[in-house]
């Protein structure tokens, strides 16, 4: 596994593109000054990876934050996703163009299929492969794909997804899926690493926070990275964005990583990818 060094550190995708392993999530950040400021704070602190999606309805604000941050475009790794209602070949191509327009960018570093919409995600993937082959996106991937979805896709695809962004936290580890992704050089990525706030009430995390003299958030994010999982904690507060990045001056023991893994109980905060209807 690649070394975890600092906030600018990366994991390398199977096409050679380097993806920063710590990013800013923007789910539920309003498309106003809140998300503009969050992006600017994150860039100021050193984050180089910003994650959004068309369904978040904040791509304009994210784009504004990027422009106002003063960072060079090539320094940043910007991600968006095609929503379920836009899936299909032609509509995915349009969705990509629409996302770029809202963001005010001329390319994305990573574009993801947001959910595996039955009967549509194969055509969606073909459109994404086209965008990738035309060098309009640096990397393409999926989100919320279980192993059988990935196998289905890989049977007919030219390009293996570079990333699978999944709900990932101590109550939903899905180690078999992580192993499958690792075996197929698909980079695993976490969404909702804090269980939408529920993690802060877990006794086991409180104990580890005391042991290492770190916050529960910092313990959780460090666990993500040590498992080789890219993580994108969402926050709009400057001090939280800063403290979420203060995870490079300590290391969890193998025993503590195994302990956190052992909390897995398949208890989701979000929808089950095999059973969603939106």
């Amino acid at each position: 596994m690649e070394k975890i060094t600092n906030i600018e550190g990366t994991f390398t995708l199977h096409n050679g593109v380097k993806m920063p392993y710590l990013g800013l999530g923007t789910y539920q950040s309003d498309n106003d000054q809140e998300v503009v400021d969050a992006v600017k704070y994150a860039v100021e602190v050193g984050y180089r990876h910003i994650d959004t999606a068309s369904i978040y309805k904040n791509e304009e604000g994210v784009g504004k934050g990027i422009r106002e941050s003063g960072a060079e475009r090539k320094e940043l790794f910007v991600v968006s996703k095609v929503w379920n209602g836009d899936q299909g070949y032609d509509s995915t191509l349009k969705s990509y163009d629409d996302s770029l327009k809202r963001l005010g960018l001329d390319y994305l570093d990573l574009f993801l299929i947001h959910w595996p919409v039955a009967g549509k995600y194969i055509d969606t993937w073909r459109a994404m492969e086209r965008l990738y082959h035309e060098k309009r996106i640096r990397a393409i991937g999926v989100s919320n794909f279980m192993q059988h979805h990935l196998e289905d896709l890989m049977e007919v695809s030219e390009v293996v997804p570079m990333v699978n962004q999944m709900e990932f936290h101590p109550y939903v580890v899905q180690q078999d899926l992580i192993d499958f992704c690792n075996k197929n050089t698909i980079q695993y990525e976490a969404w909702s690493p804090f269980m939408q706030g529920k993690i802060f009430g877990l006794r086991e995390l409180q104990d580890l926070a005391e042991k290492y003299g770190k916050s529960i958030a910092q313990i959780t994010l460090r666990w993500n990275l040590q498992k080789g999982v890219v993580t994108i904690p969402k926050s709009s507060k400057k001090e939280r964005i800063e403290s979420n990045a203060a995870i490079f001056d300590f290391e969890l023991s193998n025993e503590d990583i195994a302990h956190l893994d052992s909390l897995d109980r398949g208890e989701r905060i979000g929808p089950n990818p095999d059973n969603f209807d939106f």
Side-chain angles (χ1 to χ4, degrees):
M1 200 186 96
E2 293 168 79
K3 271 195 171 152
I4 298 157
T5 50
N6 57 43
I7 193 169
E8 290 177 10
T10 58
F11 292 149
T12 305
L13 305 181
H14 70 65
N15 67 340
V17 165
K18 293 185 181 303
M19 179 177 188
Y21 43 52
L22 180 66
L24 176 76
T26 62
Y27 176 58
Q28 291 179 331
S29 284
D30 291 336
N31 190 33
D32 57 15
Q33 205 56 39
E34 179 186 47
V35 83
V36 173
D37 287 344
V39 170
K40 284 161 67 178
Y41 295 150
V43 172
E44 201 183 302
V45 170
Y47 290 72
R48 292 295 175 261
H49 171 178
I50 312 291
D51 180 278
T52 183
S54 61
I55 196 66
Y56 299 172
K57 305 271 189 267
N58 62 13
E59 287 171 312
E60 294 93 345
V62 168
K64 190 176 181 213
I66 288 170
R67 285 188 297 282
E68 291 185 7
S69 74
E72 281 190 58
R73 171 65 186 94
K74 65 174 190 288
E75 286 180 10
L76 301 177
F77 191 93
V78 184
V79 186
S80 195
K81 312 174 190 78
V82 55
W83 183 243
N84 303 343
D86 296 325
Q87 287 196 39
Y89 188 84
D90 292 328
S91 42
T92 294
L93 298 175
K94 183 178 183 310
S95 172
Y96 183 69
D97 287 335
D98 290 346
S99 280
L100 284 187
K101 237 174 255 160
R102 287 189 292 265
L103 284 157
L105 301 175
D106 51 12
Y107 71 93
L108 283 180
D109 298 276
L110 176 65
F111 196 43
L112 304 175
I113 301 180
H114 212 143
W115 290 86
V117 176
K120 285 202 171 169
Y121 63 76
I122 301 274
D123 285 339
T124 302
W125 188 250
R126 288 205 173 101
M128 293 176 78
E129 287 181 322
R130 175 179 161 179
L131 291 163
Y132 176 68
H133 288 316
E134 290 175 353
K135 299 197 164 24
R136 296 192 60 211
I137 313 177
R138 295 179 67 223
I140 51 177
V142 296
S143 183
N144 302 300
F145 273 52
M146 304 297 270
Q147 182 172 331
H148 66 92
H149 297 123
L150 290 167
E151 287 169 336
D152 189 36
L153 194 62
M154 287 157 65
E155 237 169 68
V156 295
S157 64
E158 293 172 41
V159 180
V160 173
M162 286 132 200
V163 172
N164 188 17
Q165 186 184 120
M166 297 293 298
E167 178 172 351
F168 175 80
H169 47 68
Y171 279 3
V172 178
V173 177
Q174 301 186 102
Q175 189 64 46
D176 289 351
L177 183 57
I178 294 174
D179 293 342
F180 177 83
C181 287
N182 288 344
K183 189 174 138 209
N184 290 280
T185 59
I186 300 168
Q187 175 61 52
Y188 211 80
E189 178 178 7
W191 63 258
S192 203
F194 302 149
M195 303 166 64
Q196 290 180 2
K198 291 192 178 155
I199 200 146
F200 303 111
L202 299 190
R203 179 74 250 167
E204 294 87 350
L205 269 296
Q206 288 163 8
D207 291 344
L208 286 176
E210 283 164 29
K211 175 178 172 180
Y212 287 92
K214 286 285 176 181
S215 71
I216 287 175
Q218 290 164 339
I219 296 290
T220 305
L221 297 173
R222 184 73 203 189
W223 169 66
N224 285 204
L225 298 190
Q226 284 186 233
K227 284 185 70 65
V229 174
V230 170
T231 192
I232 45 168
K234 181 259 168 182
S235 184
S236 52
K237 294 184 173 65
K238 187 174 186 182
E239 59 278 11
R240 193 73 52 74
I241 288 169
E242 281 178 349
S243 83
N244 284 346
I247 55 174
F248 300 103
D249 57 352
F250 77 106
E251 197 170 289
L252 296 173
S253 69
N254 291 337
E255 293 75 23
D256 288 332
I257 288 172
H259 178 54
L260 286 173
D261 288 352
S262 75
L263 302 180
D264 190 6
R265 51 179 74 185
E267 198 175 293
R268 296 179 186 279
I269 301 295
N272 186 323
D274 281 328
N275 179 29
F276 66 98
D277 58 355
F278 45 81

